Amino acid sequence: MKYPKIPLAQSLIAICKAKGLKHIVISPGSRNAPLTIGFASNPFFTCYSIADERCAAFFALGIAQQLEEPVAVVCTSGSAVLNYYPAVAEAFYSQIPLVIISADRPHDKIDIGDGQTIRQENVFSNHIITSANLTEEVSTENDLAIQNALHLAVIEKGPVHINIPFEEPLYETVDALTVETKWISFDSENSPTFELDSLFINQWKTSKKKLIVIGENKPDVIQNEILEQLAADSSVVVMTEKTSNLYHTKFVHNIDTIITPFTDVDFAFFQPDILITFGGMVVSKRIKAFLRKYKPVAHWHIDERRAYNTYGCLTEHFKTKPQHFFEELLKNFTEIKSEYDLKMQEIISLRKVRTAEYLKNIPFSDFKVFDFISKNLPPNIQLQISNSSAVRYLQLVNIEPSIAVFCNRGTSGIDGSTSTAIGAAIVQDKPTFFITGDISFFYDSNALWNNYIPKNFKIILINNGGGGIFRILPGHEENNVFTTFFETSHRLNAKYLAAMFHFNYHWVDNEADLEETWSLFITSNEQPCLLEINTPEKLNNKILLDYFKNLK
């Protein structure tokens, strides 16, 4: 087996192996050659070559998202490392362990006019768990800094940056390790047993209006027994989003559909005594506006690490897992009589009828397409969804509860959604479907430029000719400035992209063709598939806005 001759590269690779960091995403370059040689020559590591650094970082993020373990991205010096930043920020806010390993020029080469030299140390300082800025020679300090970074990536669940300077020559190899690593032993602290103060339990038991809002979660963070108890309590309303991956027939799973038509009387009635939140970022702007205006007496957030004061009324942060919290809270379950959930169930029933009537009569459009897709997705798949309009439409429709839903909601950006979906797909046995809008898809089109896309990976591209979400935001005016600089109106399609990257391609622009093509699309597994659905650019916003008016 070959090893890089540079001792510092040997140290880093040996530590990564010892710590079980198995997946390495490498972008081509010269300064990172010692790392590339070392990782790619060692059968312990699974290495991927992704040329575009921004795509590479999101690809790695998708792998880490699914495996819930650190994944490394390795790049050369200079501007390459800056392309990692969007994924670093996403990993930071989504609590995903991403390990950035950037090769650098020696310290005396920085700021003297050499090519591909920038100030790489601490470049991610605002969105990183820790930065390990190594010196050029092997040292105990370097060994400890590397190990500490990898340890914190796991413990703190977030991105870490290891910046490693190399002097030429870079490509020389040896047949055996020439370094001895200084190892550090980290204290393995057991998580303390969580106990909930009786004060909070009594407050819960005596409150007649308790609202639980659940953001983004991995599947199965709470056992069904807990969900059943919450659903059975007439003083509790549970609101979920598709990315929460929690489902019960009595829960509100389409928040905007429920609360958009609310009157002031409705809002006042549903103003909670206690608000409990857990999970990642919430999509719905309307629930945020509601709770910021009609604040609860108490807001409890459950998270082992962070508590964002999203609604401006946070009173308590419980640093534990949601399952542990609710086990304590509901230990001696006693229901308090309340009209809270009864009123909500009445509204849910009414909204179902109105929504079904509306969808039956609208023409082919984004909303109609999402309704069709949601009813026809196969069970037990992984569903990746891009941001902007796509993830918002998904909140309005029903999907099969066995489908696991993922989205980059940490920063909610459109960049990197396709790359993340592909990274997630390669470490999943189940088929992965990815729903995206046209701007997000074309923005991240280099995501398709890799050799690892599974044959059962399927893209549903909803192409409405631009950034349709801007048409439903306040301030929309139909003029040249809007279409050029906000909506980014275009006439592109993905036909030739699909051919270039060897995707099976289908194109439809009406309901009959969608129904006819769908079964072929979902059953074809000889190669990755892309289904492009063209919808009317200037009709979608009217149909969506009229939907909310029709609910009243």
Side-chain angles (χ1 to χ4, degrees):
M1 188 161 60
K2 290 190 176 183
Y3 299 92
K5 186 175 181 180
I6 296 176
L8 185 56
Q10 292 183 24
S11 292
L12 182 131
I13 292 162
I15 292 170
C16 287
K17 180 179 178 181
K19 298 298 180 183
L21 199 161
K22 187 175 180 62
H23 293 270
I24 314 292
V25 182
I26 302 171
S27 292
S30 183
R31 191 59 50 169
N32 60 331
L35 300 175
T36 301
I37 291 167
F39 283 125
S41 301
N42 193 320
F44 173 82
F45 299 106
T46 301
C47 295
Y48 311 87
S49 176
I50 306 291
D52 184 318
E53 283 88 3
R54 187 179 68 187
C55 294
F58 277 108
F59 178 88
L61 183 129
I63 298 173
Q65 174 201 84
Q66 294 301 304
L67 297 181
E68 298 183 58
E69 64 185 45
V71 173
V73 280
V74 179
C75 70
T76 190
S77 63
S79 58
V81 69
L82 299 180
N83 289 303
Y84 285 161
Y85 213 137
V88 170
E90 178 62 35
F92 181 78
Y93 287 109
S94 289
Q95 300 189 34
I96 293 175
L98 192 66
V99 179
I100 308 300
I101 304 175
S102 56
D104 200 357
R105 292 294 205 274
H107 291 84
D108 61 0
K109 297 295 198 309
I110 308 301
D111 289 341
I112 67 166
D114 255 15
Q116 280 293 283
T117 57
I118 65 170
R119 300 171 189 177
Q120 292 181 202
E121 293 186 355
N122 305 312
V123 73
F124 304 116
S125 58
N126 284 333
H127 299 95
I128 206 81
I129 302 298
T130 191
S131 295
N133 299 303
L134 307 186
T135 54
E136 292 167 49
E137 303 300 326
V138 168
S139 67
T140 298
E141 290 75 18
N142 279 343
D143 288 351
L144 300 186
I146 296 166
Q147 292 173 63
N148 184 59
L150 298 183
H151 174 70
L152 290 176
V154 174
I155 298 302
E156 298 296 328
K157 289 188 178 177
V160 297
H161 179 205
I162 301 171
N163 191 59
I164 179 167
F166 295 129
E167 182 57 280
E168 297 179 2
L170 302 168
Y171 293 88
E172 294 182 341
T173 61
V174 293
D175 294 327
L177 289 174
T178 61
V179 298
E180 279 192 26
T181 303
K182 174 67 176 179
W183 298 102
I184 182 172
S185 180
F186 294 95
D187 293 334
S188 55
E189 297 180 4
N190 293 323
S191 299
T193 303
F194 177 72
E195 292 184 6
L196 189 60
D197 193 294
S198 60
L199 175 72
F200 298 111
I201 295 174
N202 290 334
Q203 190 177 355
W204 172 265
K205 287 182 176 179
T206 56
S207 297
K208 293 190 173 183
K209 294 181 180 181
K210 284 127 29 181
L211 178 62
I212 301 174
V213 177
I214 307 174
E216 182 182 18
N217 280 288
K218 301 292 189 299
D220 304 318
V221 296
I222 292 186
Q223 295 172 4
N224 282 334
E225 181 184 355
I226 297 294
L227 302 181
E228 292 293 344
Q229 282 184 271
L230 294 172
D233 192 331
S234 62
S235 65
V236 174
V237 168
V238 180
M239 293 186 170
T240 70
E241 297 195 309
K242 299 301 183 297
T243 51
S244 73
N245 288 300
L246 289 172
Y247 178 82
H248 192 282
T249 54
K250 291 187 71 179
F251 292 173
V252 174
H253 59 266
N254 48 357
I255 297 173
D256 286 359
T257 295
I258 297 300
I259 71 173
T260 298
F262 273 9
T263 63
D264 289 341
V265 172
D266 293 325
F267 281 124
F269 177 83
F270 284 105
Q271 181 177 12
D273 302 323
I274 298 173
L275 169 66
I276 294 181
T277 57
F278 65 91
M281 306 299 184
V282 170
V283 176
S284 172
K285 283 187 171 184
R286 289 177 172 93
I287 193 65
K288 295 172 189 173
F290 163 40
L291 292 170
R292 286 166 183 167
K293 182 176 180 180
Y294 295 86
K295 297 183 187 297
V297 175
H299 173 197
W300 305 343
H301 186 72
I302 311 161
D303 188 280
E304 292 179 278
R305 290 163 189 84
R306 304 177 196 166
Y308 296 118
N309 193 11
T310 304
Y311 309 103
C313 54
L314 184 68
T315 56
E316 207 66 41
H317 175 199
F318 296 99
K319 293 184 178 181
T320 188
K321 296 180 185 295
Q323 177 67 26
H324 296 161
F325 176 85
F326 284 107
E327 283 174 349
E328 282 289 298
L329 184 67
L330 306 176
K331 192 179 290 181
N332 298 308
F333 174 68
T334 54
E335 182 184 352
I336 183 171
K337 293 299 180 185
S338 171
E339 299 286 310
Y340 200 51
D341 185 53
L342 178 63
K343 174 84 168 175
M344 179 55 72
Q345 296 306 317
E346 291 173 354
I347 293 171
I348 290 172
S349 297
L350 176 62
R351 299 284 194 270
K352 280 182 180 176
V353 172
R354 290 283 176 86
T355 299
E357 290 173 350
Y358 187 78
L359 283 166
K360 188 167 59 177
N361 296 312
I362 61 174
F364 192 70
S365 58
D366 285 353
F367 197 8
K368 192 82 166 180
V369 166
F370 268 90
D371 180 53
F372 174 88
I373 292 171
S374 68
K375 291 172 178 172
N376 289 279
L377 283 171
N380 299 307
I381 62 167
Q382 175 186 196
L383 176 63
Q384 294 274 340
I385 185 90
S386 73
N387 277 300
S388 203
S389 295
V391 73
R392 285 172 170 79
Y393 272 112
L394 190 70
Q395 307 310 315
L396 304 179
V397 296
N398 301 322
I399 63 169
E400 157 67 38
S402 67
I403 295 174
V405 182
F406 298 91
C407 181
N408 287 344
R409 290 305 298 171
T411 61
S412 308
I414 66 166
D415 47 346
S417 294
T418 311
S419 297
T420 302
I422 294 170
I426 67 168
V427 290
Q428 271 285 348
D429 293 331
K430 59 177 66 174
T432 297
F433 283 63
F434 172 54
I435 305 176
T436 183
D438 49 284
I439 298 297
S440 180
F441 175 78
F442 291 123
Y443 192 85
D444 193 29
S445 58
N446 269 357
L448 307 184
W449 181 20
N450 72 68
N451 298 317
Y452 312 103
I453 303 173
K455 291 181 179 179
N456 61 358
F457 180 71
K458 301 183 186 300
I459 298 175
I460 301 170
L461 167 58
I462 300 173
N463 189 342
N464 55 26
I469 192 170
F470 290 101
R471 291 183 164 272
I472 61 175
L473 296 176
H476 161 236
E477 291 182 21
E478 200 65 38
N479 55 40
N480 186 57
V481 170
F482 173 81
T483 56
T484 302
F485 296 103
F486 289 92
E487 188 182 31
T488 323
S489 183
H490 67 85
R491 293 293 177 267
L492 302 175
N493 66 58
K495 179 179 179 179
Y496 296 107
L497 267 177
M500 182 166 67
F501 293 116
H502 307 292
F503 270 68
N504 194 341
Y505 177 76
H506 307 277
W507 183 91
V508 300
D509 66 350
N510 61 78
E511 193 169 359
D513 286 352
L514 176 58
E515 291 176 357
E516 184 178 337
T517 305
W518 183 258
S519 60
L520 182 63
F521 169 67
I522 65 171
T523 56
S524 175
N525 289 315
E526 295 84 23
Q527 63 191 93
C529 285
L530 193 159
L531 170 61
E532 183 166 14
I533 306 172
N534 256 94
T535 62
E537 176 187 359
K538 293 184 173 146
L539 185 62
N540 291 307
N541 62 311
K542 182 179 186 307
I543 289 173
L544 184 61
L545 293 173
D546 285 351
Y547 167 65
F548 290 116
K549 293 175 185 175
N550 184 72
L551 293 171
K552 294 181 180 179

mmCIF file of all heavy atoms in Angstrom, residues 93-94 215-216 241 243 279-283 288 308 310 409-412:
data_model
loop_
_atom_site.group_PDB
_atom_site.id
_atom_site.type_symbol
_atom_site.label_atom_id
_atom_site.label_comp_id
_atom_site.label_asym_id
_atom_site.label_seq_id
_atom_site.Cartn_x
_atom_site.Cartn_y
_atom_site.Cartn_z
ATOM 1 N N TYR A 93 -26.230 24.728 10.703
ATOM 2 C CA TYR A 93 -27.596 24.950 11.180
ATOM 3 C C TYR A 93 -28.436 23.676 11.201
ATOM 4 O O TYR A 93 -29.426 23.602 11.935
ATOM 5 C CB TYR A 93 -28.273 26.037 10.348
ATOM 6 C CG TYR A 93 -27.738 27.415 10.665
ATOM 7 C CD1 TYR A 93 -26.939 28.097 9.762
ATOM 8 C CD2 TYR A 93 -28.012 28.016 11.893
ATOM 9 C CE1 TYR A 93 -26.431 29.352 10.061
ATOM 10 C CE2 TYR A 93 -27.507 29.270 12.195
ATOM 11 C CZ TYR A 93 -26.718 29.933 11.279
ATOM 12 O OH TYR A 93 -26.202 31.169 11.583
ATOM 13 N N SER A 94 -28.050 22.678 10.404
ATOM 14 C CA SER A 94 -28.774 21.402 10.409
ATOM 15 C C SER A 94 -28.126 20.362 11.322
ATOM 16 O O SER A 94 -28.591 19.231 11.391
ATOM 17 C CB SER A 94 -28.858 20.837 8.985
ATOM 18 O OG SER A 94 -29.738 21.599 8.196
ATOM 19 N N GLY A 215 -40.561 20.681 13.972
ATOM 20 C CA GLY A 215 -39.801 21.000 12.769
ATOM 21 C C GLY A 215 -39.134 19.771 12.186
ATOM 22 O O GLY A 215 -39.549 18.634 12.410
ATOM 23 N N GLU A 216 -38.046 19.989 11.470
ATOM 24 C CA GLU A 216 -37.356 18.920 10.743
ATOM 25 C C GLU A 216 -36.750 17.894 11.703
ATOM 26 O O GLU A 216 -36.111 18.236 12.693
ATOM 27 C CB GLU A 216 -36.246 19.551 9.897
ATOM 28 C CG GLU A 216 -35.466 18.580 9.057
ATOM 29 C CD GLU A 216 -34.364 19.269 8.286
ATOM 30 O OE1 GLU A 216 -33.990 20.399 8.656
ATOM 31 O OE2 GLU A 216 -33.868 18.673 7.323
ATOM 32 N N GLU A 241 -44.690 19.252 10.103
ATOM 33 C CA GLU A 241 -44.407 19.495 8.695
ATOM 34 C C GLU A 241 -43.897 18.186 8.087
ATOM 35 O O GLU A 241 -43.544 17.257 8.823
ATOM 36 C CB GLU A 241 -43.381 20.623 8.539
ATOM 37 C CG GLU A 241 -43.922 21.945 9.083
ATOM 38 C CD GLU A 241 -43.117 23.151 8.637
ATOM 39 O OE1 GLU A 241 -41.890 23.134 8.787
ATOM 40 O OE2 GLU A 241 -43.735 24.094 8.133
ATOM 41 N N THR A 243 -41.167 17.457 6.767
ATOM 42 C CA THR A 243 -39.794 17.161 7.156
ATOM 43 C C THR A 243 -39.681 16.718 8.616
ATOM 44 O O THR A 243 -38.599 16.316 9.051
ATOM 45 C CB THR A 243 -38.900 18.391 6.947
ATOM 46 O OG1 THR A 243 -39.516 19.529 7.571
ATOM 47 C CG2 THR A 243 -38.701 18.674 5.470
ATOM 48 N N GLY A 279 -37.057 19.780 17.007
ATOM 49 C CA GLY A 279 -36.721 19.569 15.604
ATOM 50 C C GLY A 279 -36.077 20.810 15.006
ATOM 51 O O GLY A 279 -35.891 21.840 15.673
ATOM 52 N N GLY A 280 -35.725 20.719 13.730
ATOM 53 C CA GLY A 280 -35.029 21.799 13.045
ATOM 54 C C GLY A 280 -35.956 22.890 12.556
ATOM 55 O O GLY A 280 -37.059 23.084 13.073
ATOM 56 N N MET A 281 -35.503 23.594 11.521
ATOM 57 C CA MET A 281 -36.202 24.780 11.032
ATOM 58 C C MET A 281 -37.604 24.446 10.514
ATOM 59 O O MET A 281 -37.832 23.408 9.911
ATOM 60 C CB MET A 281 -35.402 25.449 9.919
ATOM 61 C CG MET A 281 -33.963 25.771 10.304
ATOM 62 S SD MET A 281 -33.840 26.913 11.700
ATOM 63 C CE MET A 281 -32.061 27.146 11.780
ATOM 64 N N VAL A 282 -38.522 25.378 10.765
ATOM 65 C CA VAL A 282 -39.914 25.248 10.338
ATOM 66 C C VAL A 282 -40.110 26.019 9.034
ATOM 67 O O VAL A 282 -39.619 27.142 8.883
ATOM 68 C CB VAL A 282 -40.859 25.777 11.443
ATOM 69 C CG1 VAL A 282 -42.284 25.894 10.941
ATOM 70 C CG2 VAL A 282 -40.789 24.871 12.670
ATOM 71 N N VAL A 283 -40.831 25.436 8.092
ATOM 72 C CA VAL A 283 -41.068 26.060 6.788
ATOM 73 C C VAL A 283 -42.103 27.175 6.886
ATOM 74 O O VAL A 283 -41.922 28.260 6.340
ATOM 75 C CB VAL A 283 -41.527 25.005 5.759
ATOM 76 C CG1 VAL A 283 -41.873 25.672 4.427
ATOM 77 C CG2 VAL A 283 -40.464 23.937 5.569
ATOM 78 N N LYS A 288 -45.145 31.077 12.274
ATOM 79 C CA LYS A 288 -44.235 31.996 12.958
ATOM 80 C C LYS A 288 -44.929 33.327 13.246
ATOM 81 O O LYS A 288 -44.831 33.876 14.353
ATOM 82 C CB LYS A 288 -42.973 32.219 12.111
ATOM 83 C CG LYS A 288 -42.117 30.973 11.941
ATOM 84 C CD LYS A 288 -40.995 31.221 10.941
ATOM 85 C CE LYS A 288 -40.276 29.927 10.601
ATOM 86 N NZ LYS A 288 -39.292 30.085 9.520
ATOM 87 N N TYR A 308 -33.322 27.987 19.557
ATOM 88 C CA TYR A 308 -33.535 29.273 18.897
ATOM 89 C C TYR A 308 -34.833 29.899 19.411
ATOM 90 O O TYR A 308 -35.857 29.223 19.522
ATOM 91 C CB TYR A 308 -33.606 29.091 17.386
ATOM 92 C CG TYR A 308 -32.321 28.598 16.775
ATOM 93 C CD1 TYR A 308 -32.270 27.370 16.118
ATOM 94 C CD2 TYR A 308 -31.152 29.349 16.855
ATOM 95 C CE1 TYR A 308 -31.092 26.909 15.555
ATOM 96 C CE2 TYR A 308 -29.971 28.892 16.303
ATOM 97 C CZ TYR A 308 -29.940 27.675 15.654
ATOM 98 O OH TYR A 308 -28.771 27.228 15.110
ATOM 99 N N THR A 310 -37.262 31.413 18.179
ATOM 100 C CA THR A 310 -37.927 31.698 16.904
ATOM 101 C C THR A 310 -39.151 32.586 17.069
ATOM 102 O O THR A 310 -39.429 33.441 16.226
ATOM 103 C CB THR A 310 -38.334 30.378 16.222
ATOM 104 O OG1 THR A 310 -37.176 29.559 16.072
ATOM 105 C CG2 THR A 310 -38.963 30.625 14.865
ATOM 106 N N ARG A 409 -32.996 22.439 5.229
ATOM 107 C CA ARG A 409 -33.703 23.555 5.851
ATOM 108 C C ARG A 409 -32.830 24.372 6.804
ATOM 109 O O ARG A 409 -33.282 25.340 7.390
ATOM 110 C CB ARG A 409 -34.930 23.033 6.612
ATOM 111 C CG ARG A 409 -36.039 22.528 5.736
ATOM 112 C CD ARG A 409 -36.500 23.538 4.715
ATOM 113 N NE ARG A 409 -37.054 24.749 5.301
ATOM 114 C CZ ARG A 409 -37.364 25.843 4.605
ATOM 115 N NH1 ARG A 409 -37.143 25.885 3.303
ATOM 116 N NH2 ARG A 409 -37.880 26.899 5.209
ATOM 117 N N GLY A 410 -31.561 23.980 6.978
ATOM 118 C CA GLY A 410 -30.698 24.737 7.878
ATOM 119 C C GLY A 410 -30.576 26.183 7.474
ATOM 120 O O GLY A 410 -30.795 27.091 8.274
ATOM 121 N N THR A 411 -30.238 26.418 6.212
ATOM 122 C CA THR A 411 -30.190 27.783 5.688
ATOM 123 C C THR A 411 -31.299 28.038 4.672
ATOM 124 O O THR A 411 -31.480 29.167 4.232
ATOM 125 C CB THR A 411 -28.837 28.063 5.001
ATOM 126 O OG1 THR A 411 -28.674 27.159 3.902
ATOM 127 C CG2 THR A 411 -27.688 27.881 5.977
ATOM 128 N N SER A 412 -32.005 26.982 4.275
ATOM 129 C CA SER A 412 -33.135 27.076 3.345
ATOM 130 C C SER A 412 -32.738 27.589 1.967
ATOM 131 O O SER A 412 -33.556 28.180 1.257
ATOM 132 C CB SER A 412 -34.250 27.973 3.928
ATOM 133 O OG SER A 412 -34.605 27.549 5.220
#
